[in-house]
Amino acid sequence: MNHGSETVTDWRARYQELEREARDPRLKRFYEAGIAAADTPIKDVPMLALDFETTGLDVTKHGIVSVGSMPMTLNRIQTGASKFWVAKPRRPLLDESVIIHGITHSQIENAPDFLEHVPEILEEMAGRVMVVHYRGIERPFFNEALMNRIGEGIEFPVIDTMELEARLHRVQSGPIWRRFRGVKPVSIRLADSRKRYNLPWYRPHDAVIDALSSAELLQAQIAYHYSPDTPVQDLWC
């Protein structure tokens, strides 16, 4: 299936390929756990809401400082099973990023390197589809972090709640003349997207809270615009 011009990966088959190719035993175990078949209804898919806070947005210059995760299904968000990790980045922690995510120099001073958290993070991710808001962070930053440390990257499917909002509002944006008349495009930022579904406001840039925010947003998006029987291949990328 194509989402616009984007070809969607057959992730079950891709995991089988990656399992054969993986050299690191941690990655091999992760891929061995498999993933839902593409035609699985979203109501039957185990998921993990995931959020990375980083020192910046450039994957080649910045690093991961915290990770929050929260297991979920379409019907239930397991807040009591949330996990939080703080890591000491290999690149400098800039003052402007501290203002955003609130992780301070003193908090990371004695924190372990991200690699020490990887086995536990992979255990949480195994067998689940990731739920994120903007796939330009979690997947590329995780891949880059592993490439720099073990010489292998990582691939995994994500349901991107930002992309789901973008699909909806690309369709509903109307004719191009609206833009020339100064009609502002609809914001698909996390807080603005949640507001459209009457979801509560949460303080942003806390990794666990942002994971919860994305989880709740996905549930609302499915309720309003999709169906519990929607195949996961229509949502993931």
Side-chain angles (χ1 to χ4, degrees):
M1 171 174 282
N2 289 335
H3 297 154
S5 60
E6 181 180 3
T7 301
V8 178
T9 302
D10 178 350
W11 281 105
R12 176 168 279 189
R14 182 60 180 150
Y15 267 38
Q16 292 170 351
E17 295 173 4
L18 291 166
E19 179 191 342
R20 292 191 295 269
E21 296 169 2
R23 301 183 304 276
D24 189 281
R26 295 161 291 193
L27 287 174
K28 190 171 284 289
R29 285 194 299 271
F30 170 71
Y31 294 126
E32 282 174 350
I35 202 69
D39 60 356
T40 305
I42 188 62
K43 67 184 180 184
D44 298 326
V45 175
M47 295 175 279
L48 186 74
L50 190 67
D51 184 76
F52 285 9
E53 296 298 320
T54 64
T55 59
L57 298 178
D58 187 337
V59 70
T60 65
K61 297 178 180 178
H62 302 122
I64 299 163
V65 293
S66 67
V67 179
S69 73
M70 193 168 292
M72 67 173 291
T73 63
L74 184 59
N75 293 321
R76 183 184 177 206
I77 299 171
Q78 296 175 256
T79 55
S82 65
K83 296 287 180 68
F84 179 68
W85 300 269
V86 175
K88 186 173 185 177
R90 294 185 174 181
R91 298 178 173 104
L93 183 61
L94 304 176
D95 290 341
E96 51 264 38
S97 71
V98 172
I99 294 171
I100 293 172
H101 52 61
I103 304 294
T104 64
H105 296 273
S106 60
Q107 285 177 281
I108 66 168
E109 184 177 358
N110 297 313
D113 184 78
F114 177 73
L115 187 60
E116 292 192 33
H117 295 312
V118 165
E120 190 176 0
I121 294 172
L122 290 179
E123 185 177 345
E124 289 296 301
M125 293 172 60
R128 294 177 169 133
V129 175
M130 304 309 114
V131 176
V132 305
H133 193 78
Y134 179 54
R135 65 183 181 271
I137 296 293
E138 284 74 18
R139 199 156 51 185
F141 269 87
F142 202 165
N143 182 73
E144 184 75 8
L146 290 183
M147 286 296 296
N148 287 337
R149 289 162 173 82
I150 65 173
E152 289 188 74
I154 187 170
E155 297 179 30
F156 50 87
V158 299
I159 298 174
D160 181 357
T161 54
M162 176 181 276
E163 168 60 22
L164 296 186
E165 284 298 288
R167 290 184 206 170
L168 174 67
H169 293 292
R170 279 197 296 264
V171 170
Q172 294 184 350
S173 59
I176 195 168
W177 61 261
R178 288 170 58 85
R179 278 173 273 169
F180 288 109
R181 294 188 61 175
V183 177
K184 292 183 179 179
V186 173
S187 170
I188 55 175
R189 294 170 67 93
L190 183 54
D192 295 327
S193 297
R194 286 174 57 84
K195 188 176 181 180
R196 281 191 290 275
Y197 299 95
N198 297 312
L199 295 169
W201 182 87
Y202 296 145
R203 182 174 63 83
H205 303 299
D206 173 291
V208 172
I209 296 299
D210 279 358
L212 174 61
S213 296
S214 298
E216 291 178 342
L217 177 57
L218 177 64
Q219 289 181 326
Q221 289 171 322
I222 301 299
Y224 277 78
H225 306 297
Y226 295 89
S227 157
D229 294 314
T230 300
V232 67
Q233 67 184 348
D234 290 357
L235 303 168
W236 70 14
C237 52

